[in-house]
Amino acid sequence: MTRDMSKGAGAAAVRVLAGAAGVALMGTGVSLLLDVRDLTGVLAWLGAALLVHDVLIAPLVLLAGLALTRVGARGARGGVRGPVRGALLVAGALTAVALPPLLRPGAPANSSVVPLDYLRNWLLALAVTAAVTTALIVARRLAPRGVRRLVRRLRRCRPRVRGGRGPSRTGAPESGRPSGDRR
């Protein structure tokens, strides 16, 4: 068994374990749904969450990414697009979570149901997301060119597997012949 084959077997084992954990969690969710008295309300909430994501959040993130791509400014292409799209995705998820309490203003009948100031906390979470995104973009801009070049080279130097063989340990090209054989 070569080193590359053991990595493949380990990755397969991790996938199987992750899949088993996912199935177990889905089973837990289904068992909890069976105890719910108002199943139609839960299903309506899940359907609304799907619609909010598919109709509102995902298109807005894609449109923002497209707008950043189409902008002719050099800044939009120099490491800004990815962090901004990620920040928009996080902001959309935060909005989806905070939306029900934000849309139902007023004091609830039970004061322990929604004891927090959701508007303030939602705005703070959005501000933190914007600050982290800005810091990431600034850090990318301030990184020395040598570091950026090194990162690009490391990304390009991934080992290639040809003909079922792993990368050569000697650094010789993998032509199927011994490295000393020059025809």
Side-chain angles (χ1 to χ4, degrees), residues 75-99:
R77 298 187 186 271
V80 172
R81 187 176 44 206
V84 168
R85 290 171 93 179
L88 288 173
L89 191 63
V90 170
L94 289 171
T95 302
V97 169
L99 205 56

Side-chain angles (χ1 to χ4, degrees), residues 4-177:
D4 292 332
M5 289 175 67
S6 66
K7 283 183 182 178
V14 168
R15 285 189 198 107
V16 168
L17 288 173
V23 169
L25 286 173
M26 286 190 291
T28 303
V30 168
S31 71
L32 291 174
L33 271 177
L34 295 176
D35 293 338
V36 173
R37 290 188 180 144
D38 183 23
L39 189 59
T40 57
V42 172
L43 293 177
W45 187 89
L46 288 173
L50 264 172
L51 281 175
V52 166
H53 177 271
D54 291 348
V55 174
L56 188 66
I57 296 172
L60 286 176
V61 170
L62 292 173
L63 284 174
L66 181 65
L68 286 171
T69 303
R70 300 290 177 185
V71 172
R74 292 178 56 199
R77 298 187 186 271
V80 172
R81 187 176 44 206
V84 168
R85 290 171 93 179
L88 288 173
L89 191 63
V90 170
L94 289 171
T95 302
V97 169
L99 205 56
L102 291 176
L103 292 178
R104 192 179 297 168
N110 183 355
S111 63
S112 66
V113 172
V114 185
L116 303 175
D117 183 2
Y118 272 84
L119 179 61
R120 183 200 61 189
N121 293 343
W122 174 64
L123 291 173
L124 283 173
L126 290 180
V128 168
T129 302
V132 168
T133 303
T134 303
L136 180 63
I137 292 169
V138 168
R140 283 185 173 188
R141 294 270 187 209
L142 295 179
R145 284 187 178 179
V147 172
R148 288 193 295 251
R149 269 191 237 130
L150 177 64
V151 169
R152 271 189 252 126
R153 282 186 191 149
L154 289 174
R155 286 182 181 161
R156 279 186 269 158
C157 292
R158 293 186 179 135
R160 296 181 199 138
V161 178
R162 297 181 194 163
R165 297 181 183 188
S168 170
R169 294 181 192 244
T170 61
E174 294 185 29
S175 62
R177 297 184 300 229

